[in-house]
Amino acid sequence: RIDETLIDFRQRVYVGDRVRVKHDANGQGQAAARRRQQQLPQGLVMFVGPCDFADGKEMVGIRMDNKQQSGGHDGKEKGERHFRCENGHGCYLLLDDVTVITSAAERAARAAEDAKEPFDLESELEN
C-alpha cells in the first residue's frame, strides 16, 4: 500500500529534464505544429515548485533553447527569481503544459555508459 501512496507524491518533472511545451502561443498542439512544419518550443528545466506570482501553483521554470518571441525573461517573473538564463529565454509554465522529452536521469545514465567505452584517438581521427 505504501508504494501506491508514493506514486501519488511522485513528481513528473525534475530539474535537469529536457521538456517540450505542449502548446504554442496560439494554443495549438503538436499536430498543428507539424502541419506548419514547426517544432513546439523546447528547453531545460531549471526550477520546479510553487510560485507566488502564480498564487502558489506548482510551476516549471524553463531555459528555452531559443529566444521567446514574446513573454520571455531571464528567470525573473513579476519580481520573483528562481533561476537565471539569457534574457528572453526564460519562461514559467504549469506542470500540465510541458512534456518530458528526456529525463535528467536518462541523460546521466547515457553519459555514464559513454564514459565506460574507452576512447581511441586514432580510430576517431580515421573517421
Side-chain angles (χ1 to χ4, degrees):
R1 296 276 169 212
I2 194 161
D3 291 339
E4 293 172 11
T5 303
L6 290 175
I7 289 171
D8 293 339
F9 292 103
R10 190 177 307 153
Q11 202 171 299
R12 294 180 298 133
V13 179
Y14 294 89
V15 170
D17 288 352
R18 294 244 345 122
V19 294
R20 176 181 295 121
V21 176
K22 286 185 178 179
H23 306 282
D24 66 12
N26 300 318
Q28 302 293 311
Q30 185 67 36
R34 263 189 301 234
R35 285 192 298 273
R36 291 189 313 274
Q37 298 189 357
Q38 295 175 327
Q39 277 287 92
L40 290 173
Q42 299 180 13
L44 183 69
V45 175
M46 304 294 287
F47 169 82
V48 179
C51 294
D52 291 337
F53 64 79
D55 298 323
K57 292 179 186 163
E58 291 277 316
M59 302 295 286
V60 180
I62 307 167
R63 183 185 70 210
M64 304 304 287
D65 293 343
N66 299 307
K67 187 172 184 174
Q68 301 302 288
Q69 293 177 355
S70 64
H73 51 71
D74 67 351
K76 186 175 184 179
E77 175 83 15
K78 297 181 182 172
E80 192 173 344
R81 178 178 299 284
H82 293 285
F83 68 96
R84 290 186 185 277
C85 66
E86 188 177 339
N87 194 27
H89 286 255
C91 76
Y92 289 96
L93 296 170
L94 293 169
L95 285 168
D96 291 338
D97 291 339
V98 298
T99 300
V100 175
I101 300 170
T102 309
S103 73
E106 289 171 329
R107 287 197 339 270
R110 257 190 247 131
E113 192 62 36
D114 290 346
K116 288 180 186 175
E117 297 178 19
F119 181 77
D120 182 4
L121 179 61
E122 287 185 26
S123 67
E124 289 295 321
L125 292 174
E126 289 174 6
N127 295 329

